[in-house]
């Protein structure tokens, strides 16, 4: 009996010690994640300010080789530091956090081996469109505007660093597609406008907050003009000269990633990274061809329903050219988008129990980049609620923006698509910050595309042309699987990709060309949408089948969105757990 009491005492001590150790391990790991989050913000000052973090409002990202190599060294050290955490001593939530953080760190290390920083220009963003950074910054107080001006004084340094990376890239054989760099060159030229009133950097100073005094407004305008004249325009003229004399002449006529050092190896890596699967480019290409064929049959049914007697090609031409499908002005187009959003918002409760607190707004895409970008995009809110989410729509050339696409586009970019999913994740204060802003494109964009299919249950697509618009968007993402792999892996020419797109989808030629150029500059990213959507649809089908009468779509959506964005293999585990708990 004496020994039994002793044994029980020892067991109690072991349990208490073990519990203490678990608590300490969890706190230590959570502190580690917080420090890593703070480090990541310190390396991305614009993002830090956009997220409402103070202290870096006057800085740009450091693009020097020293800083780039330092970030790579940090990632290697971080991966090594993760070894001190024993998964068995972490909570279930932190075990998931550890798996995800380790995976993301490994991906950054793997990506750095391909020297993508030596291709520093994109027509969809970058130093030549730096004025658009204000779209994500909180410009409310006088200090906010003064910080932006201080930041602008340092823009020439960022431009010089970009030129340096580009020159090293040329020397090492990292040459960009000429067709895209011609777009970048046009954007650079816009920034060299010496008429300050028309310079893109002056735009925000034309409509300053009413709370500012007249003296404050005049002071800000005067300082802005001086900085534009003395520093910004000369810096962009140096960039323009470099582009004209060196970068454009050295750019290549090919467009695929295969034509840079280790390009095909990089593309195989990107295909797996963006889809969070082990799918190869060959497998993804075949999936795309099958989906194109399937969706085409659905489109043919709609064409028959509307009574069109011509060929599929003639129907697409009819959609692109008939004026009944288009607004006459950018203003009317914008009002149309507002009306669609107002119709959707009250219907969401039919499919979701949990809705975000964060509101969203509608904004036009800035005119400087609108000709070179896609139909719409979403910009996330801040975690602290200082800025709502924004659904940006392209109003450039409204005669190319069909009305029948507006419903499907809105459910993807706003609700129940990106705004609902991203805002809910942002609001999950129990998750570490790296989880609240998880970059898993297959989940985020897969959810956006999955949301398009929910439009039928939200009372949308009642008009057959709007239904065709939904199918067009589904076809669009299926085509991506074919043309993205075609361009970067099978060495298609740009026109070959455009022709395949034109043949199979009812989007305008302007949209199609901009889309293809997007795939060229963002290899692999376009693969995530369809792969993610198909996984979500499969998981919903499985849950519906196994739960039968117990299946509630609102509970399913709660389960899918509960953990924020996840790799698809982790999402499958979440849904399996939901099914098991509800049987």
């Amino acid at each position: 009996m004496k020994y039994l009491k002793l044994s029980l005492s020892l067991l109690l001590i072991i349990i208490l010690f073990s519990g203490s150790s678990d608590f300490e391990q969890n706190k230590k790991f959570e502190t580690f994640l917080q420090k890593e989050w703070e480090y990541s913000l310190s390396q991305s000052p614009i993002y830090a300010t956009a997220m409402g973090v103070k202290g870096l409002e006057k800085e740009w990202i450091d693009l020097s080789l020293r800083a780039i190599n330092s970030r790579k060294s940090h990632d290697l050290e971080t991966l090594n530091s993760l070894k001190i955490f024993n998964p068995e001593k972490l909570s279930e939530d932190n075990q998931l956090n550890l798996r995800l953080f380790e995976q993301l760190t490994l991906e950054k290390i793997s990506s750095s081996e391909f020297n993508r920083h030596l291709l520093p220009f994109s027509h969809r963003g970058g130093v030549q469109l730096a004025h658009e950074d204000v779209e994500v910054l909180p410009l409310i107080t006088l200090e906010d505007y003064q910080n932006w001006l201080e930041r602008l004084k340092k823009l020439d340094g960022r431009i010089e660093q970009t030129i340096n990376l580009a020159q090293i890239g040329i020397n090492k054989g990292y040459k960009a597609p000429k067709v895209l760099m011609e777009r970048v060159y046009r954007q650079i030229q816009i920034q060299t406008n010496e008429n300050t009133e028309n310079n893109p950097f002056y735009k925000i100073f034309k409509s300053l907050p009413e709370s500012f005094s007249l003296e404050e407004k005049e002071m800000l305008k005067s300082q802005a003009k001086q900085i534009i004249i003395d520093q910004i325009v000369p810096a962009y003229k140096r960039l323009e000269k470099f582009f004209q004399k060196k970068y454009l002449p050295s750019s290549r006529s090919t467009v695929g990633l295969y034509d840079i050092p280790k390009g095909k190896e990089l593309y195989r890596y990107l295909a797996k990274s963006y889809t969070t699967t082990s799918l190869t480019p060959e497998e993804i290409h075949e999936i795309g061809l099958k989906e194109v064929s399937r969706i085409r049959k659905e489109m043919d049914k709609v064409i028959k329903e509307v009574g069109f007697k011509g060929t599929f090609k003639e129907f697409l031409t009819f959609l692109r050219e008939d004026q009944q499908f288009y607004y006459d002005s950018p203003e009317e187009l914008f009002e149309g988008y507002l009306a669609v959003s107002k119709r959707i918002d009250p219907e969401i409760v039919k499919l979701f129990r949990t809705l975000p607190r964060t509101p969203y707004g509608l904004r036009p895409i800035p005119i400087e980049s609108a000709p070179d970008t896609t139909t719409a995009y979403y910009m996330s809110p801040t975690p602290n609620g200082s800025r709502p989410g924004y659904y940006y729509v392209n109003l450039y050339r409204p005669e190319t923006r069909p009305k029948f696409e507006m419903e499907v586009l809105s459910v993807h970019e706003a609700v129940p698509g990106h705004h609902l999913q991203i805002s809910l994740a942002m609001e999950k204060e129990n998750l570490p910050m790296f989880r609240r802003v998880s970059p898993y494109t297959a989940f985020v964009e897969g959810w956006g595309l999955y949301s398009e299919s929910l439009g039928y249950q939200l009372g949308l697509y009642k008009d057959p042309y709007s239904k065709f618009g939904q199918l067009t968007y589904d076809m669009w993402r299926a085509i991506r699987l074919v043309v993205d792999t075609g361009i970067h892996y099978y060495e298609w020419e740009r026109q070959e990709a455009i022709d395949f797109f034109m043949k199979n989808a009812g989007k305008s030629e302007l949209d199609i060309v901009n889309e293809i150029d997007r795939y060229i500059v963002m290899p692999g990213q376009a693969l995530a949408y369809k792969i993610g959507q198909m996984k979500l649809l499969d998981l919903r089908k499985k849950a519906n089948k196994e739960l039968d009468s117990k299946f509630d779509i609102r509970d399913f959506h709660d389960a899918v969105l509960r953990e924020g964005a996840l790799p698809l293999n982790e999402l499958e585990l979440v849904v399996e757990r939901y099914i098991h708990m509800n049987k």
Side-chain angles (χ1 to χ4, degrees), residues 44-51 57 59-61 63 124-139 144 148 151-152 155 158-159 191 200-201 203-204 236 363 366 368-369 377 379-380 382 387 390 392:
S44 303
I46 289 287
Y47 183 64
T49 308
M51 295 293 279
E57 295 90 339
E59 305 300 325
W60 299 99
I61 185 172
L63 294 175
R124 290 178 56 82
V127 72
Q128 82 283 0
L129 294 171
H131 67 283
E132 292 187 3
D133 286 336
V134 295
E135 296 285 330
V136 301
L137 301 181
L139 290 176
D144 292 335
W148 175 243
R151 196 174 241 152
L152 291 184
L155 181 57
R158 181 184 168 196
I159 290 172
Q191 303 289 18
F201 283 93
K203 187 189 296 183
I204 63 162
Y236 276 114
R363 282 182 173 179
E368 292 81 17
S369 60
Y377 53 77
M379 193 168 286
S380 305
T382 52
R387 190 191 73 249
Y390 282 106
Y392 280 81

Side-chain angles (χ1 to χ4, degrees), residues 5 23 25 31 53 103 132 153-154 163 186 189 197 242 303 325 360 428 550 557:
K5 287 180 180 179
F23 176 80
Q25 275 276 302
T31 300
V53 175
Q103 178 207 45
E132 292 187 3
K153 289 179 182 178
K154 301 176 182 179
I163 291 172
R186 288 196 299 272
Q189 289 176 309
E197 289 286 336
F242 168 76
I303 295 172
F325 299 121
Y360 76 95
K428 293 185 184 299
K550 293 181 180 179
H557 288 155

Side-chain angles (χ1 to χ4, degrees), residues 140-167:
I140 301 168
T141 67
L142 181 64
E143 184 182 16
D144 292 335
Y145 281 87
Q146 289 172 328
N147 286 335
W148 175 243
L149 288 172
E150 289 301 314
R151 196 174 241 152
L152 291 184
K153 289 179 182 178
K154 301 176 182 179
L155 181 57
D156 56 350
R158 181 184 168 196
I159 290 172
E160 289 303 317
Q161 288 179 341
T162 304
I163 291 172
N164 183 51
L165 290 178
Q167 184 61 64

